[in-house]
């Protein structure tokens, strides 16, 4: 697998973006957590925008980046947001855990009990009707 290394000029352009914290090993972009959350918000608020357009609105020169990088990052961040919530991103120095999503309780109707209830109610109406005559 080939690795994409950014040139010194590309690194300089990328570091000019407010949301880039650092470029590690000339290949890894370290994003600000605010940018990650902003991209998630943009994905929900403006679904018609492509991932590259969202990155461009964030101040990135998308011509430097691989064409799939914005799409992969936003998908990864959105998946983590759905699974772990905002604590995955903020605060950075604390732990995070899965968001509890309560599963809907499935009501199981016991047909035997329903039939008994119907019979009992019908019979009680008959008894009540016969006593009032």
């Amino acid at each position: 697998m080939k690795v994409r290394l950014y040139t010194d000029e590309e690194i300089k352009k990328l570091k000019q973006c407010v949301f880039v914290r650092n470029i590690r090993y000339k290949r890894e972009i370290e994003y600000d957590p605010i940018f990650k959350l902003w991209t998630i918000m943009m994905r929900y608020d403006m679904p018609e925008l492509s991932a590259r357009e969202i990155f461009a609105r964030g101040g990135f020169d998308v011509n430097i980046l691989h064409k799939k990088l914005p799409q992969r990052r936003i998908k990864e961040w959105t998946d983590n947001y759905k699974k772990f919530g905002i604590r995955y991103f903020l605060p950075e120095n604390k732990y995070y855990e899965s968001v509890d999503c309560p599963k809907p309780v499935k009501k199981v109707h016991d047909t035997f009990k329903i039939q008994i209830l119907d019979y009992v109610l019908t019979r009680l109406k008959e008894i009540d009707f016969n006593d009032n005559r």
Side-chain angles (χ1 to χ4, degrees), residues 8-20:
D8 292 335
E9 186 178 313
E10 290 172 334
I11 290 172
K12 186 178 177 183
K13 281 184 183 179
L14 287 170
K15 283 189 174 182
Q16 287 176 351
C17 180
V18 178
F19 297 118
V20 173

Side-chain angles (χ1 to χ4, degrees), residues 10-11 13 16 37 39-40 42-43 49 52 56 68 78 116 120 130 132-133:
E10 290 172 334
I11 290 172
K13 281 184 183 179
Q16 287 176 351
L37 292 169
T39 58
I40 295 167
M42 290 295 285
R43 175 58 72 207
L49 292 178
R52 289 179 65 84
K68 290 284 190 177
T78 304
I116 291 175
V120 169
N130 288 334
N132 289 332
R133 282 187 163 187

Side-chain angles (χ1 to χ4, degrees), residues 34-58:
I34 295 168
F35 177 71
K36 295 175 184 181
L37 292 169
W38 178 78
T39 58
I40 295 167
M41 180 199 69
M42 290 295 285
R43 175 58 72 207
Y44 287 118
D45 286 351
M46 303 179 112
E48 68 275 4
L49 292 178
S50 70
R52 289 179 65 84
E53 291 171 333
I54 292 172
F55 264 59
R57 286 188 179 197

